Amino acid sequence: MFKCLLQVIKLSLTLLMCLVLFACGGDKILPNDQEPDPVVVDVPIVFIKRTIPIDADGELIGQDLRRLNDFVPGAALYLKARASASAIERNISDRAFFSAEQIAAATLDNPLAAYDVKDLEVSYDGNTLVFALRAPEIADADEDEQPSWNLWTYHLPSDTLQRIITNNALAEEGQDTAPVFLPDGRIVFSSTRQQANQAILLDENKPQYQALDERRSQIASVLHVINPDGSDIQQISFNQSHDLDPTVLSNGKILFSRWDNAGNNNSFNLYQMNGDGSELELMYGRHSHNNERSTEALQYTQLRELPDGKILSALRPMSSELWGGDYVSIDIRQFIDRTAPITGQGGNAEQVALFDNVTIDGSLSAGGRFAAVYPLWDGSNRMLFSWSQCRVFDPEVPEDATAKILPCTAELLATQGIQAAPILYGVWMFDPIQNTQLVVAVPQEGQLYSEVVAMQARAFPADSQQSPNFDPELALDKLAQIHIRSVYDFAGEDLSPQGIVILADPTQTPVIQRPARFLRIVKAVSQPDDEVRDFNNSAFGRSTGQLMREIVGYSPIEPDGSALFNVPANVPLAFSVVDAQGKRISERHQNWLQFAPGEIRSCNGCHTQASTAAHGRKDAEVQSINQGAANTGLPFPNTNPALFADLGDTMAQTAGRIVGVNYPSADIHFSDIWTDPARQTPADPFNLAYGDMQTAIPVSPACALSWTSLCRIQINYPLHIQPMFDLNRQTLAEDGLTVLQDHTCTSCHNIEDALGLAQVPAAQLDLRGSDSSDNPDHITSYRELLFGDNEQEVLEGILVERLIAVTDANGDPVFAVDEDGELLLDSEGQPIPVLRTVPVSNSMSVNGARASNRFFQVFNVGNSHHAWLSPVELKLIAEWLDIGGQYYNDPFVAPLN
């Protein structure tokens, strides 16, 4: 279709071309004493004009939000002195790569090498443009040798263009995009550099590398800050997939679009945080992606605050074969989701930004499509926008004739088989008060205006660079502190068995009856690309849904459900609530939390994936179910008087003030500090300690003794689970030879008995550590525990799959027949019965320990295997399953391809 552009009759452009031919505008910035054109905006504008990207087949190259660093050559940056079609456009970006002589010598037949530019943003004084620029492709160079996206500035008063990071080697260390000025002059941007993440990998005795996103497709691009001179690059966001499109709100907060893809969520939602990465909050969009406007989930990108405080956002599918879509204004102050107001009922957070007849479902859009929208900050509510009118090929023109393009009408759009004409973007100005739409840059066939901004001053935002709740001592230790008021609080609803008042009273609720006992702190494992570590997908085991995970440690939950504990700063974390055996009783936390060094953070409680209530957004949370202590200087009702509370404090805050704030521990430790010994006997303490194990433990000996912010529990099935099944658990007589009991797992769960004869593994479960016949990358026990199998039996001394006769709906046997439906007979003339195997379901599930009851129940008190595995061994199996039942959780232990 795009190969035929030169054959198109451009009737719809006649008036616009006349504007260009007879205009009298200049290419210089108007001096203050020059009389401005009364019908145009007397402010400079900058836009990106690019060749429409088409592939070898002449089809438009689509866009995918997850591929933000793709190189689409053929773009350039242009400046107009005024927002007017009569103002001459001037290229201001060619000079970044070419001399004046090269530019002057370029022709249509011998053009300059194509480069790419995107992500325009303007400083608050209107003098400086910041953007991302990518140099032309290097011929015959490998992909990893090609130029990367760099940050550049253009200073309007001096007409100077400069790369922010001047050192070539440093500039090429990452893909740097989406720059925005912070109030203090620094720049926040999205980058694959992962500065802090790589430093932590080094601290963990791992090689430094840039981690992949959770699709394992692209290097994850997350938010960093940099000084305007290119110095002091700091990573401030720690998502495991992309964080992009940052914008600074009037309150100084950084609003950005986060690709939530933990557990395959796969949606872009709006988050905000301070300039140092503290106070991360999910602001909007978690349950807003399913929209009547499209059958595909719609995502939020290209964010910008409007003068009225609402958020301008592009609304488009994750991937699209079209360029552009629609824009909406979002009232994030009053809504957490499209139809979920913070207070009151009803309403819709989203309103179309410009035209109400734009479709984004892939069909022809009567209202055309938008590639960019930019608001003016002069009180007029006017907007600059790049827009392509809806156009179709004239259905009356024969196929062998020259194509003719017509603007869309209702009649044409209703015509069967009507075909869309090529996109034709121009830059326009919309005035909602006058309801006028004026052309600013005339549409040109084969060209696309992908972005536009006005070099216009606007008010400086506030300076939100750090959480007001900051502890410098924690910051020095690279720690943050978390306070959860109650894990039983789900959006203001008390989900404890009898209410937290009764639960918190030791005289009414014994310790053993408290369901939530500990908090597990889980960390993501950064995934390297094949150049760093090339391993097979089988390393993830049964499922790639959770990729690889580590456990930072455990912290106690107090009787009222509160918890107060320190965590490592600047790492992606998730929390799970577990019982006394270390089994998860909550949903998996499927979006990543982060905390800045020194940050002190409090939240009310927990959340479910299906809940549409606000979670973690401070201005939208309902009142906590845990009102805390009713008095100062007194203990909580019927508790240990040594733990006297302050008004409003939770039990965790009280214990933290008197006993000390909890640090995570690799082991689960319990001590009953709340029971009043004068009233009743405190519960017995217990420890589920790795030091009590007889096999390899998944934590370093130093961390088993004393936790630090770098301690990690890393469970790899062949190294830490299988050895428990192989461990000799025989009880011998006094002679040291006679076996009185043998609880070794692989003695019974084996295909051979002690004499080497074939046997059916106990419970049809083979726990040997030999290579699996189903997948040699896994050992037998892993496949047997986590995958379905078939029953076996011993026939004539050989272990074979058990076969049973197939019966019909009446219970009668089914016999084999030929293609004509005639019975097949055996050598004795008898019908041949149809046989089938007997399936055996897996006894473990990657959904967690509580979903693996078939395995754990035999170890319960009174059951066949009680006490055959120790409590800490069962805890190790439980935590491994809770984080995903992976085969390996360390990419550098997984075998290489």
Side-chain angles (χ1 to χ4, degrees):
M1 180 172 65
F2 289 91
K3 290 179 178 178
C4 302
L5 289 177
L6 296 178
Q7 302 175 12
V8 174
I9 298 176
K10 309 175 184 69
L11 296 179
S12 61
L13 294 179
T14 303
L15 177 59
L16 297 178
M17 297 308 295
C18 289
L19 285 173
V20 174
L21 292 172
F22 301 103
C24 55
D27 61 352
K28 295 182 179 179
I29 305 301
L30 287 173
N32 292 335
D33 59 353
Q34 182 171 340
E35 188 68 27
D37 187 334
V39 299
V40 300
V41 178
D42 194 29
V43 62
I45 67 166
V46 178
F47 52 84
I48 298 171
K49 184 167 66 172
R50 63 172 67 245
T51 304
I52 290 179
I54 58 176
D55 61 21
D57 297 323
E59 297 298 325
L60 185 66
I61 297 174
Q63 293 178 298
D64 191 317
L65 296 177
R66 297 160 296 193
R67 299 186 58 87
L68 69 162
N69 295 318
D70 280 358
F71 177 52
V72 186
L77 203 56
Y78 291 86
L79 169 70
K80 277 196 170 206
R82 295 180 293 169
S84 166
S86 64
I88 301 300
E89 63 187 37
R90 179 163 61 91
N91 184 304
I92 59 173
S93 56
D94 280 356
R95 70 182 97 162
F97 308 115
F98 310 105
S99 67
E101 293 76 14
Q102 289 173 312
I103 295 172
T107 64
L108 288 176
D109 295 327
N110 186 28
L112 298 171
Y115 55 92
D116 200 1
V117 60
K118 64 177 183 177
D119 300 339
L120 307 183
E121 187 55 84
V122 180
S123 62
Y124 302 104
D125 62 8
N127 287 331
T128 306
L129 181 76
V130 64
F131 54 95
L133 193 63
R134 206 273 207 181
E137 193 168 58
I138 301 173
D140 301 322
D142 293 335
E143 185 177 348
D144 60 354
E145 297 173 332
Q146 295 293 346
S148 66
W149 283 95
N150 296 163
L151 304 183
W152 288 70
T153 59
Y154 171 74
H155 189 241
L156 181 63
S158 62
D159 190 31
T160 55
L161 192 69
Q162 182 176 351
R163 190 170 65 175
I164 291 176
I165 301 176
T166 56
N167 179 277
N168 287 333
L170 182 59
E172 294 299 313
E173 285 185 358
Q175 303 281 358
D176 300 335
T177 60
V180 176
F181 286 104
L182 289 169
D184 62 2
R186 292 181 302 158
I187 296 166
V188 58
F189 63 104
S190 185
S191 178
T192 61
R193 293 175 182 272
Q194 303 176 17
Q195 298 279 101
N197 187 60
Q198 292 199 67
I200 290 171
L201 286 170
L202 197 62
D203 290 339
E204 295 174 345
N205 295 316
K206 298 173 183 174
Q208 290 185 313
Y209 57 91
Q210 295 166 313
L212 295 171
D213 62 44
E214 287 154 305
R215 279 204 316 170
R216 292 179 293 133
S217 174
Q218 303 276 301
I219 300 296
S221 188
V222 293
L223 299 188
H224 295 63
V225 292
I226 187 173
N227 287 333
D229 63 0
S231 64
D232 195 23
I233 302 172
Q234 300 289 333
Q235 182 180 346
I236 61 169
S237 80
F238 297 86
N239 191 25
Q240 294 299 283
S241 293
H242 303 320
D243 288 339
L244 60 150
D245 294 334
T247 191
V248 179
L249 304 179
S250 56
N251 62 8
K253 297 279 189 177
I254 299 170
L255 185 77
F256 61 99
S257 186
R258 166 165 284 192
W259 182 16
D260 278 323
N261 201 30
N264 299 317
N265 277 331
N266 200 28
S267 60
F268 281 85
N269 303 305
L270 305 191
Y271 283 74
Q272 78 171 16
M273 63 182 178
N274 293 323
D276 65 348
S278 60
E279 295 190 314
L280 177 72
E281 299 176 87
L282 170 59
M283 295 297 290
Y284 182 87
R286 179 67 179 85
H287 299 280
S288 300
H289 302 285
N290 294 328
N291 192 313
E292 65 276 2
R293 298 186 64 183
S294 176
T295 56
E296 296 184 70
L298 298 176
Q299 312 300 331
Y300 301 95
T301 64
Q302 300 176 38
L303 311 176
R304 197 179 299 277
E305 188 174 30
L306 294 168
D308 63 2
K310 294 180 180 179
I311 302 301
L312 181 69
S313 172
L315 193 63
R316 50 156 297 175
M318 188 73 75
S319 61
S320 173
E321 296 179 358
L322 302 172
W323 276 66
D326 200 8
Y327 280 76
V328 293
S329 68
I330 307 173
D331 187 359
I332 66 167
R333 293 177 177 177
Q334 303 298 325
F335 287 78
I336 59 172
D337 272 303
R338 189 160 52 92
T339 56
I342 294 174
T343 58
Q345 295 182 351
N348 193 315
E350 299 175 16
Q351 304 296 325
V352 293
L354 289 163
F355 309 152
D356 60 7
N357 59 343
V358 175
T359 60
I360 47 178
D361 59 3
S363 64
L364 276 168
S365 174
R369 287 188 172 82
F370 298 99
V373 180
Y374 187 88
L376 294 186
W377 290 79
D378 57 5
S380 68
N381 293 326
R382 288 177 294 186
M383 290 189 181
L384 287 167
F385 60 96
S386 172
W387 176 70
S388 178
Q389 181 186 17
C390 181
R391 308 188 308 162
V392 295
F393 286 108
D394 187 346
E396 302 295 329
V397 176
E399 290 186 7
D400 58 349
T402 302
K404 180 180 179 181
I405 289 179
L406 300 174
C408 293
T409 64
E411 181 181 358
L412 284 171
L413 290 175
T415 302
Q416 184 72 23
I418 195 73
Q419 292 186 5
I423 56 177
L424 184 65
Y425 278 95
V427 178
W428 305 76
M429 176 79 72
F430 177 67
D431 187 333
I433 297 176
Q434 300 296 326
N435 195 29
T436 57
Q437 177 182 334
L438 299 175
V439 65
V440 174
V442 177
Q444 301 173 43
E445 295 286 359
Q447 298 291 312
L448 165 66
Y449 296 89
S450 54
E451 294 185 42
V452 60
V453 296
M455 299 293 288
Q456 183 183 49
R458 62 192 191 278
F460 272 79
D463 191 6
S464 295
Q465 293 303 318
Q466 190 179 75
S467 169
N469 300 312
F470 177 79
D471 185 327
E473 292 185 8
L474 282 172
L476 287 174
D477 293 333
K478 299 180 181 178
L479 296 173
Q481 189 173 106
I482 314 302
H483 174 228
I484 302 174
R485 294 197 66 86
S486 182
V487 299
Y488 301 110
D489 186 338
F490 284 76
E493 183 179 358
D494 186 349
L495 294 187
S496 61
Q498 297 173 290
I500 63 167
V501 174
I502 294 176
L503 197 67
D505 186 339
T507 64
Q508 298 190 68
T509 305
V511 169
I512 197 172
Q513 293 181 13
R514 298 205 316 253
R517 302 295 295 278
F518 301 93
L519 204 72
R520 178 186 293 138
I521 305 159
V522 178
K523 175 186 171 294
V525 175
S526 298
Q527 295 300 299
D529 64 17
D530 290 347
E531 296 296 320
V532 176
R533 185 77 179 179
D534 185 12
F535 58 88
N536 193 279
N537 269 358
S538 61
F540 297 100
R542 179 70 172 82
S543 170
T544 60
Q546 298 301 308
L547 295 179
M548 295 180 182
R549 301 286 187 261
E550 298 168 327
I551 298 171
V552 171
Y554 294 85
S555 184
I557 294 173
E558 308 303 342
D560 62 351
S562 61
L564 180 65
F565 53 99
N566 294 331
V567 295
N570 288 350
V571 292
L573 299 175
F575 301 145
S576 293
V577 178
V578 304
D579 62 15
Q581 290 76 45
K583 295 179 181 178
R584 178 170 50 83
I585 63 173
S586 63
E587 288 186 2
R588 283 193 179 116
H589 203 162
Q590 299 285 38
N591 60 300
W592 296 113
L593 305 172
Q594 66 176 58
F595 305 97
E599 180 178 0
I600 297 176
R601 190 73 183 271
S602 180
C603 70
N604 284 351
C606 296
H607 196 66
T608 63
Q609 292 292 314
S611 172
T612 57
H615 183 67
R617 179 174 167 175
K618 290 186 296 185
D619 66 347
E621 282 192 328
V622 297
Q623 187 176 26
S624 170
I625 66 168
N626 191 353
Q627 297 302 301
N631 300 286
T632 294
L634 296 175
F636 290 91
N638 301 319
T639 63
N640 188 344
L643 299 174
F644 52 91
D646 287 342
L647 178 66
D649 276 0
T650 64
M651 285 180 152
Q653 288 175 308
T654 300
R657 176 171 48 83
I658 297 174
V659 181
V661 175
N662 293 299
Y663 286 80
S665 169
D667 301 326
I668 285 181
H669 300 292
F670 171 74
S671 179
D672 185 4
I673 64 173
W674 291 103
T675 297
D676 182 358
R679 295 176 180 269
Q680 60 192 100
T681 302
D684 292 334
F686 65 82
N687 293 306
L688 302 181
Y690 287 128
D692 294 334
M693 293 187 62
Q694 302 178 61
T695 55
I697 62 175
V699 68
S700 71
C703 289
L705 294 174
S706 179
W707 184 88
T708 72
S709 63
L710 295 175
C711 287
R712 307 286 186 263
I713 300 169
Q714 201 166 66
I715 307 170
N716 298 297
Y717 185 90
L719 304 179
H720 303 114
I721 305 298
Q722 181 61 41
M724 292 189 291
F725 301 145
D726 294 333
L727 181 65
N728 187 325
R729 301 175 188 273
Q730 293 179 339
T731 301
L732 302 179
E734 292 182 0
D735 60 11
L737 298 174
T738 305
V739 177
L740 300 178
Q741 286 183 321
D742 187 0
H743 292 162
T744 304
C745 299
T746 51
S747 292
C748 298
H749 296 280
N750 202 315
I751 62 172
E752 293 181 351
D753 61 18
L755 300 176
L757 300 177
Q759 69 174 10
V760 176
Q764 297 285 341
L765 180 62
D766 186 352
L767 294 180
R768 290 175 302 142
S770 58
D771 290 344
S772 168
S773 59
D774 295 324
N775 183 346
D777 290 337
H778 294 157
I779 55 182
T780 298
S781 63
Y782 185 85
R783 302 290 301 189
E784 289 273 316
L785 288 165
L786 287 158
F787 292 80
D789 201 0
N790 294 322
E791 277 192 22
Q792 296 175 304
E793 62 182 348
V794 176
L795 293 179
E796 299 179 355
I798 300 175
L799 187 65
V800 297
E801 290 187 341
R802 180 181 170 223
L803 299 175
I804 61 173
V806 175
T807 57
D808 59 20
N810 298 320
D812 297 323
V814 175
F815 297 100
V817 296
D818 61 19
E819 57 187 14
D820 297 323
E822 299 294 329
L823 284 174
L824 295 175
L825 305 178
D826 60 20
S827 58
E828 298 180 357
Q830 299 298 315
I832 301 173
V834 177
L835 304 177
R836 66 172 179 85
T837 57
V838 181
V840 176
S841 60
N842 46 299
S843 57
M844 286 184 175
S845 169
V846 295
N847 291 323
R850 292 221 164 187
S852 305
N853 188 53
R854 184 163 169 255
F855 174 84
F856 284 101
Q857 67 183 355
V858 298
F859 300 99
N860 293 340
V861 175
N863 288 348
S864 61
H865 287 43
H866 175 60
W868 288 17
L869 293 181
S870 69
V872 68
E873 288 176 319
L874 291 172
K875 174 254 188 184
L876 173 56
I877 295 173
E879 63 189 350
W880 164 68
L881 288 169
D882 282 347
I883 62 174
Q886 297 87 342
Y887 198 68
Y888 289 107
N889 277 299
D890 183 350
F892 296 94
V893 172
L896 293 171
N897 280 328

